[in-house]
Amino acid sequence: MSEDKNTGQLSAAELEDLVASTDTGGRNPTSRQVALLIAGVALAWSLFQVWIASPLPYMFGVGVFSSREARPIHLAFAMFLAYLVFPAFRTSPRRSVPLADWALAIGATACALYLFVFDTALIKSLLGSRLAERPNAPNTTDVVVSVFGILFLLEATRRSLGPPLMIVAMVFLGYTFLGPYAPGLLAWKGASFNAVAFHQWLSTEGVFGIALGVSTDLVFLFVLFGALLDKAGAGNYFIKVAFSLMGHFSGGPAKAAVVASGMTGLISGSSIANVVTTGTFTIPMMRRVGFSREKAGAVEVASSVNGQIMPPVMGAAAFLMVEYIGISYFEVVKHAFLPAIISYIALVYIVHLEALRLGMEGLPRANEPKPLKWAMISFGVTISVLLAIAGGVYYLFAAFQALGSTPNRLLAVAIMLGLAFSAMALLRSRTDEDTRAKVVSTGALVLGIATISAFGLFYFMDLLQATAGGATSWVVAALLLAAYVGLVRYCAAFPELELDDPNEPVVRLPDPGPTVKSGLHFLLPVLVLIWCLMVERLSPSLSAFWATALMIFILVTQRPLFAMFRGQELAGTAKLGWTELIDGLIAGARNMIGIGIATAAAGIIVGAVSQTGVGSVLAALVEFLSQGQILLILIFTAILSLILGMGLPTTANYIVVSSLLAPVIVALGQQNGLIVPLVAVHLFVFYFGIMADVTPPVGLASFAAAAVSGGDPIRTGFVAFFYSLRTALLPFLFIFNTDLLLIDVTPVEGAIVFVVATLAILIFTAGAQGFFIVRSRLWESAALILVAFTLFRPGFWMDMAAAPYTNVDPVTIEETLGAATPGTELRATVAAIDDVGDPVTLTMMIPVGDEPTGAERLEAFGLLVFEQDGKLVSDGASFDSRAQDAGFDFDQTFLSLEVPASQPPRELFYIPAILLFGAIYVIQRRRRTLLGEERAREREAAA
């Protein structure tokens, strides 16, 4: 290895090998035939996944695969490639594939395809029965295939993901057999060999369960979309844009690293690949402006790992949550959006504080802007313009509803667009130099135009569907083609972004205008993906297909189009486009090997939990350890996620911990008077699973960053963990304040929550970093953290000052419901029996409907009650009613019933918090002035 003995920094080739060995397989055979076979299988896998995600099989009636048929094929591809590209040991050959690996690859593929082949009509005609026709009654062949299949999967897991996930899966498998010999609370009756084989391999409860189904149906297309986007040049575009926009600020390269990693996280599900891809450029630049090796690596780690919490992809967790929680993908993205955004804002602020502390300067731009004060003035004007646009758009489009016909509405939209474009043209006609004010004002107008255009697009699509009917899809395709060609023609007027050498010094930053404009066509497939997901509400699979289809078209055509519009030679450009497309399809498949194996191996654990019932045992154990305290159970869950995440990939960690502990947290919260939405619990688990990529001593992302920076990996991990404290704080906050997840909030309330939460996370960051305007004293840091907590959870203090609920007699439930304000909720505490027959106390909410009487409101809720010995008793809940979803059941005795009290607004506690914050600001500003005067006197004395 060409490792620098002083720094431990790796070369570019060794960094590529690091990513390959972690994500895509470190074996690179010299045999052309073997290399072509591996590439061909990866290409076939990508084409298969695109085919089953597309509407084409249903249009032609050929090649339609059910989920039960597609999952074995998906796993067969993953295991075959895993054995060929991941060496068995460190000393195994990297330039050839041993015969043993060929045998293992073929055997693993055969065991996976057994479920597909032996479930066909041909097999039934030959053997008399299909696999699906003998549930829970496997024959000898079924059992043998299942045993070998699980063994092959465990070995593939060890090779591609390391020993930890394999060991955890083996422990759970062993528990299914050795249950009678387990100690005390963990003991269970055990399962037969045939039962375990069927449950784990032949049914959809184990390996081929929900997790592998999500990998097959959803995750692959999103990973492939990201690989194609990166192959087209979007990754380099995002990095260049981030540097051109933020590189001139204090500590600019680090801020650019955060933004670039966030944008790359939109298309990448791997924190390690993100670290190496963006860190290769950002870490050396951070070093040049004054960051130490460890701090430069830690900034890159923190920002890259956070890429997995950025919608719309979020690694694979977003799609798993859809299946596990039973809510739409749109809802998952909505809930995850705000925490991800404020977490990135906080990380930028961390970098800013570090830059202030060390007195760093940014890199110079090609066109140096005018003083910052003009940008600040323009920023104030911009905010006012945006608020005016938002208010105007809201009320104008509300008025559009009264305009009646769609043509009238479109005319109004056209007028507004004309005015907006006129204003922008007026701004562009200015002849003064390129200033921050001009950039910010232009951005404001572009945002306003985009907002108005979005509304216009809604009405245009309504009109198009009403007039074009069945031809709507073709019209939309033609419009997309025109938009794409128009964007390419516009982008071709600007120089192509070249890949920079990270080892060459950066003297000046690129001009942001040409940099941003040179790759605008990359945003088109992202917009198509978001439009299909958020507006058309298509399935994630179909949305990813249309975005991927457009991305394939772009890869094939962008180079010839750019050459044509730039007047360059066309020869060879089409071939280069096809080559990049094939490389992207192969890269997408190789990126999926680890995810496919991880979801299948995690299925073993999930299958063991469902077969043994160990989840309820762990719930009882955790409840005992936490003594029923919800905060302790959250801390235990966080620790477990961190420990498991030290060896498990994020996806597998999320599957395991959410399967074991998510229901426990909800149940314990219910017993302690805290109603915790299931999505909040799943996001809590996911966040701490991501944190494990940072946490020493294993944190793989930290090791990757240290390999780039040449710093110490353990110290890099500790600094990155310290930078990531704001990510660790957020899950605890949104468990107790679900407003942060935008649950049951209006758009106006959501905007207020965003502003307050952003301010709170910045104040918390300043307190945790020990630096605000100047270095903070200990009491100042504590006060800042207290202010942040108050802004995040003002209800905590208000509930102490004034009780949020008033007790009433449960027997008067009908009268109480009738008198309550519609839209509020009553809180009921009941005595119940849990699944194992032990008494528990549950807290549940009863929403107040708008029916005329209390009896009708109770009936609409679906709750049946009767009075017995002066007590109110539940007589059950109607099937599929809100009462049943809340947890009401037969023979539950009401212990209390509480109605919302007339509590003062909890936001009143913002006032003392802001006053305290203002006092700290004044104190530190005065101290900074005194320090400045003292340093000036010292300089004068020295002179």
Side-chain angles (χ1 to χ4, degrees):
M1 293 176 67
S2 58
E3 186 176 323
D4 191 314
K5 293 182 180 180
N6 297 320
T7 66
Q9 191 169 352
L10 301 185
S11 67
E14 288 165 333
L15 289 173
E16 290 179 6
D17 184 65
L18 173 66
V19 176
S21 61
T22 306
D23 282 347
T24 60
R27 182 176 281 154
N28 188 15
T30 54
S31 170
R32 177 176 171 80
Q33 290 79 7
V34 175
L36 285 176
L37 175 65
I38 293 173
V41 172
L43 178 62
W45 191 11
S46 289
L47 294 176
F48 168 75
Q49 295 288 162
V50 171
W51 174 262
I52 64 174
S54 74
L56 297 178
Y58 301 95
M59 293 171 59
F60 298 114
V62 177
V64 178
F65 292 88
S66 67
S67 182
R68 182 179 173 85
E69 294 169 331
R71 292 176 191 181
I73 299 175
H74 179 83
L75 183 58
F77 275 118
M79 289 206 293
F80 184 82
L81 289 172
Y83 279 109
L84 294 189
V85 302
F86 285 96
F89 306 101
R90 291 180 182 271
T91 56
S92 298
R94 299 297 181 98
R95 302 300 178 188
S96 63
V97 181
L99 287 177
D101 285 357
W102 283 109
L104 291 171
I106 294 170
T109 304
C111 289
L113 290 178
Y114 179 83
L115 276 78
F116 170 71
V117 174
F118 280 76
D119 214 14
T120 59
L122 176 62
I123 290 298
K124 182 176 182 179
S125 65
L126 293 176
L127 303 180
S129 67
R130 295 188 302 177
L131 192 61
E133 294 175 351
R134 46 181 189 272
N136 282 316
N139 57 33
T140 303
T141 305
D142 296 340
V143 173
V144 170
V145 169
S146 300
V147 170
F148 277 99
I150 291 175
L151 292 175
F152 286 135
L153 175 60
L154 291 173
E155 170 59 13
T157 303
R158 185 193 67 80
R159 291 184 178 215
S160 56
L161 303 166
L165 180 55
M166 179 197 72
I167 293 171
V168 173
M170 291 175 64
V171 168
F172 276 84
L173 264 180
Y175 178 66
T176 58
F177 293 110
L178 304 176
Y181 308 102
L185 187 65
L186 294 175
W188 81 291
K189 66 177 182 179
S192 67
F193 207 83
N194 285 12
V196 174
F198 178 84
H199 189 85
Q200 290 286 4
W201 193 260
L202 303 177
S203 74
T204 55
E205 297 293 328
V207 171
F208 297 95
I210 290 176
L212 187 63
V214 171
S215 176
T216 305
D217 300 334
L218 303 175
V219 179
F220 193 103
L221 260 292
F222 280 86
V223 171
L224 178 61
F225 173 71
L228 294 176
L229 200 55
D230 184 62
K231 189 63 65 173
N236 181 49
Y237 171 71
F238 288 155
I239 294 173
K240 288 291 185 68
V241 167
F243 269 94
S244 68
L245 293 177
M246 305 200 70
H248 64 288
F249 290 117
S250 176
K255 294 174 182 175
V258 175
V259 176
S261 295
M263 290 190 292
T264 305
L266 293 172
I267 61 173
S268 171
S270 169
S271 55
I272 296 165
N274 201 346
V275 164
V276 174
T277 302
T278 58
T280 302
F281 299 94
T282 60
I283 289 175
M285 292 184 185
M286 283 188 266
R287 294 274 297 115
R288 290 190 194 105
V289 296
F291 280 87
S292 67
R293 297 183 188 277
E294 285 75 20
K295 285 187 176 181
V299 168
E300 183 58 47
V301 169
S303 53
S304 295
V305 168
N306 265 28
Q308 292 191 71
I309 66 175
M310 276 299 290
V313 178
M314 295 172 62
F319 314 113
L320 288 163
M321 287 181 198
V322 170
E323 298 296 327
Y324 285 147
I325 306 175
I327 61 177
S328 68
Y329 176 81
F330 177 81
E331 289 294 316
V332 171
V333 170
K334 183 185 81 171
H335 298 321
F337 180 73
L338 183 56
I341 292 296
I342 64 175
S343 180
Y344 263 108
I345 291 173
L347 185 55
V348 172
Y349 188 55
I350 287 174
V351 171
H352 178 70
L353 293 177
E354 286 285 358
L356 287 179
R357 185 185 312 190
L358 299 175
M360 298 178 187
E361 295 183 356
L363 298 173
R365 269 185 178 170
N367 295 318
E368 190 63 29
K370 288 184 177 179
L372 182 61
K373 64 179 182 179
W374 294 108
M376 298 306 296
I377 294 172
S378 181
F379 180 75
V381 174
T382 299
I383 292 297
S384 302
V385 170
L386 287 177
L387 290 174
I389 289 174
V393 166
Y394 177 81
Y395 288 108
L396 281 173
F397 279 94
F400 282 174
Q401 302 299 324
L403 291 178
S405 64
T406 300
N408 289 339
R409 297 175 183 175
L410 287 175
L411 178 61
V413 172
I415 293 172
M416 293 181 68
L417 283 174
L419 291 174
F421 278 112
S422 298
M424 185 175 180
L426 180 64
L427 179 74
R428 299 284 294 178
S429 66
R430 291 168 52 183
T431 57
D432 59 348
E433 297 179 19
D434 182 22
T435 65
R436 288 186 175 97
K438 183 174 181 179
V439 171
V440 175
S441 299
T442 304
L445 277 176
V446 170
L447 184 58
I449 293 169
T451 304
I452 297 170
S453 301
F455 280 98
L457 189 57
F458 279 110
Y459 288 112
F460 175 75
M461 292 301 296
D462 287 342
L463 178 63
L464 183 62
Q465 291 174 356
T467 55
T472 302
S473 300
W474 295 104
V475 176
V476 170
L479 292 173
L480 275 175
L481 177 61
Y484 165 61
V485 174
L487 281 173
V488 170
R489 181 171 184 176
Y490 179 75
C491 296
F494 303 95
E496 184 177 355
L497 298 180
E498 300 290 340
L499 282 171
D500 292 332
D501 184 352
N503 297 315
E504 291 294 324
V506 177
V507 180
R508 306 185 79 83
L509 292 170
D511 189 24
T515 304
V516 172
K517 296 170 185 175
S518 65
L520 289 176
H521 64 295
F522 291 134
L523 303 180
L524 195 58
V526 178
L527 292 176
V528 168
L529 176 64
I530 295 173
W531 177 270
C532 292
L533 286 171
M534 304 300 179
V535 180
E536 296 294 331
R537 300 291 182 92
L538 301 180
S539 68
S541 176
L542 191 57
S543 300
F545 167 75
W546 289 120
T548 302
L550 178 58
M551 199 60 245
I552 290 173
F553 181 76
I554 289 175
L555 265 170
V556 172
T557 60
Q558 68 169 350
R559 290 193 176 277
L561 284 175
F562 271 108
M564 181 179 69
F565 289 130
R566 288 170 175 162
Q568 298 172 347
E569 183 65 38
L570 288 174
T573 56
K575 181 180 179 181
L576 182 58
W578 281 102
T579 301
E580 289 176 340
L581 170 61
I582 293 173
D583 289 345
L585 292 170
I586 295 171
R590 293 192 65 155
N591 289 340
M592 268 300 300
I593 297 173
I595 298 177
I597 297 295
T599 52
I604 295 177
I605 301 166
V606 175
V609 171
S610 65
Q611 190 171 25
T612 63
V614 70
S616 60
V617 175
L618 288 175
L621 180 61
V622 169
E623 183 178 3
F624 171 76
L625 292 175
S626 65
Q627 294 298 303
Q629 296 297 317
I630 186 67
L631 186 59
L632 281 178
I633 181 63
L634 290 174
I635 293 173
F636 288 148
T637 304
I639 293 172
L640 179 62
S641 297
L642 290 174
I643 292 172
L644 287 176
M646 288 180 183
L648 272 62
T650 303
T651 305
N653 187 0
Y654 164 72
I655 294 170
V656 174
V657 181
S658 63
S659 300
L660 293 175
L661 292 181
V664 181
I665 297 174
V666 174
L668 283 181
Q670 197 174 37
Q671 294 173 30
N672 287 270
L674 178 66
I675 307 301
V676 185
L678 194 55
V679 66
V681 178
H682 279 259
L683 283 172
F684 181 93
V685 170
F686 179 56
Y687 266 60
F688 278 99
I690 289 173
M691 287 290 292
D693 272 350
V694 179
T695 312
V698 177
L700 296 178
S702 300
F703 277 83
V708 178
S709 69
D712 179 78
I714 300 298
R715 289 173 59 191
T716 300
F718 276 111
V719 177
F721 181 77
F722 188 63
Y723 286 166
S724 300
L725 280 178
R726 87 262 179 246
T727 304
L729 171 73
L730 284 172
F732 285 97
L733 291 171
F734 60 58
I735 286 287
F736 293 98
N737 181 9
T738 56
D739 287 353
L740 291 172
L741 300 180
L742 302 180
I743 295 176
D744 297 330
V745 297
T746 64
V748 174
E749 291 171 340
I752 295 173
V753 168
F754 172 71
V755 173
V756 174
T758 302
L759 179 61
I761 199 71
L762 294 179
I763 295 173
F764 171 81
T765 299
Q769 291 293 112
F771 192 96
F772 180 34
I773 297 176
V774 293
R775 186 178 298 278
S776 299
R777 296 189 173 101
L778 186 60
W779 73 267
E780 290 173 336
S781 294
L784 287 172
I785 292 174
L786 178 64
V787 169
F789 175 78
T790 303
L791 294 177
F792 272 124
R793 282 207 65 204
F796 176 83
W797 305 111
M798 184 55 71
D799 289 348
M800 294 176 64
Y805 288 95
T806 302
N807 276 302
V808 298
D809 189 350
V811 175
T812 64
I813 187 170
E814 289 188 4
E815 294 83 354
T816 304
L817 272 173
T821 304
T824 59
E825 290 181 319
L826 308 185
R827 187 163 71 175
T829 304
V830 301
I833 302 297
D834 64 14
D835 295 336
V836 294
D838 294 329
V840 293
T841 302
L842 304 178
T843 301
M844 292 170 282
M845 307 304 292
I846 303 176
V848 180
D850 54 4
E851 290 78 13
T853 67
E856 290 174 321
R857 291 176 179 179
L858 195 62
E859 181 181 359
F861 180 56
L863 179 61
L864 307 175
V865 295
F866 65 92
E867 184 179 349
Q868 184 180 46
D869 299 330
K871 295 182 178 181
L872 188 69
V873 180
S874 169
D875 196 27
S878 302
F879 176 73
D880 200 25
S881 65
R882 287 181 295 171
Q884 186 182 59
D885 293 338
F888 284 101
D889 208 339
F890 293 102
D891 296 326
Q892 293 175 337
T893 303
F894 281 71
L895 302 178
S896 68
L897 183 66
E898 298 171 304
V899 297
S902 57
Q903 197 181 44
R906 60 183 180 178
E907 289 77 15
L908 286 176
F909 278 92
Y910 289 163
I911 297 174
I914 291 173
L915 289 175
L916 177 58
F917 174 67
I920 296 172
Y921 175 81
V922 171
I923 292 170
Q924 291 209 0
R925 187 178 180 90
R926 186 179 301 155
R927 192 158 73 243
R928 185 178 68 174
T929 303
L930 293 175
L931 287 172
E933 292 174 353
E934 183 179 343
R935 288 170 183 167
R937 287 193 296 269
E938 290 176 355
R939 284 195 297 269
E940 289 176 2

